Amino acid sequence: MMLANIGDFLFRYRNLLFPLCLPLALLPGPDVFDQALIAATVGFAVAAVGEAVRASTIGLQYIVRGGRDRRVYAKDLVTGGLYSHTRNPMYVGNMLILIGLSIASNSWTCVAVAIPFYAFVCAAIVAAEERYLRDRFGADFEAYCRDVPRWLPRLSGLAATLADHSFNWRRVVLKEYGTPLGWISAWGLLVLWNLAQDEGGLLAQRPAVVTIASIMTAMLAFWVFARYTKKSRRWGSA
């Protein structure tokens, strides 16, 4: 009950909590990897998996659970798509992105602080959401909880789920375009910061710097395209 109460409070500020974790990446500490570029590559790969989970969730069967008046709210109990394999695929994706950025920071201090902090935030918000869903949907939600794990995805039947659902790329672009810009920008700045601390600075890592800048520029271009498309309603509503 106490965890759910904390979750109700955190839910009101949930959009600020992830960015608040990012300064933790600057905490000094022992290196995760000997080379910053290895940390950058591994971190990007983990975060990209998290983004893939988020995109797949939105593309297969979108759930309208964005809250109402800064409170937990759900219009329907969605149990299809990735929600048939884990009850919280979006939070799983968020957690993987946060883990990826923590690794990219190449600081064990960041890993040791940021990951447990955000894990607690997710656990508290999910406790609040589950309390709401249990009150609203009763036996249907209880049955769903018995069949589907809260966190770790159940991989059995995943191929069938992907085959049974059409993937809505337009919805992914219109709903999700801000998230990859945010974490890729944070990733790029973290890596550039780490490279600047190395002997020789950024000039000694020119190919890597160019690659990182190109990735960030491409992501910004995608964001501009997606935002223009959404505002102009060229693809209709998502």
Side-chain angles (χ1 to χ4, degrees):
M1 180 67 71
M2 181 177 294
L3 186 63
N5 291 339
I6 295 173
D8 279 329
F9 172 79
L10 293 176
F11 185 87
R12 302 175 190 175
Y13 308 101
R14 65 196 185 284
N15 293 331
L16 299 175
L17 294 174
F18 194 100
L20 285 177
C21 290
L22 297 180
L24 298 176
L26 300 178
L27 291 174
D31 292 342
V32 179
F33 292 97
D34 292 337
Q35 299 180 31
L37 285 179
I38 296 178
T41 303
V42 174
F44 187 92
V46 173
V49 172
E51 181 58 47
V53 172
R54 285 181 55 91
S56 298
T57 303
I58 296 170
L60 291 174
Q61 187 167 359
Y62 184 61
I63 182 170
V64 181
R65 196 188 294 178
R68 175 177 291 180
D69 298 327
R70 300 174 69 185
R71 297 178 180 273
V72 176
Y73 172 78
K75 181 179 179 181
D76 302 300
L77 180 62
V78 176
T79 60
L82 287 194
Y83 286 95
S84 63
H85 297 272
T86 172
R87 304 204 301 264
N88 297 284
M90 294 293 278
Y91 290 121
V92 171
N94 289 347
M95 196 70 223
L96 287 171
I97 292 174
L98 192 280
I99 291 172
L101 293 179
S102 298
I103 294 172
S105 75
N106 205 27
S107 167
W108 276 116
T109 304
C110 175
V111 170
V113 175
I115 294 176
F117 170 74
Y118 195 67
F120 172 77
V121 167
C122 288
I125 292 177
V126 165
E129 291 181 342
E130 289 189 349
R131 181 172 63 182
Y132 171 88
L133 293 172
R134 189 170 285 107
D135 291 342
R136 182 176 176 88
F137 299 107
D140 289 340
F141 181 68
E142 293 289 355
Y144 174 59
C145 290
R146 289 193 296 269
D147 293 338
V148 180
R150 177 182 285 120
W151 296 112
L152 292 179
R154 183 182 59 201
L155 300 181
S156 62
L158 182 58
T161 297
L162 298 176
D164 291 343
H165 289 76
S166 59
F167 196 88
N168 192 331
W169 280 105
R170 291 185 177 183
R171 185 166 63 205
V172 173
V173 171
L174 297 181
K175 295 290 186 182
E176 182 66 359
Y177 66 94
T179 300
L181 175 67
W183 74 259
I184 288 177
S185 298
W187 169 84
L189 293 174
L190 279 175
V191 177
L192 291 175
W193 170 264
N194 286 336
L195 292 178
Q197 310 311 307
D198 290 345
E199 185 177 352
L202 295 178
L203 291 178
Q205 301 282 354
R206 181 178 176 83
V209 171
V210 171
T211 300
I212 294 167
S214 298
I215 293 173
M216 295 173 67
T217 302
M219 192 61 247
L220 179 60
F222 169 76
W223 182 88
V224 171
F225 162 77
R227 186 162 181 82
Y228 169 76
T229 301
K230 180 177 182 177
K231 295 300 182 181
S232 64
R233 299 185 179 275
R234 295 174 67 89
W235 285 353
S237 61

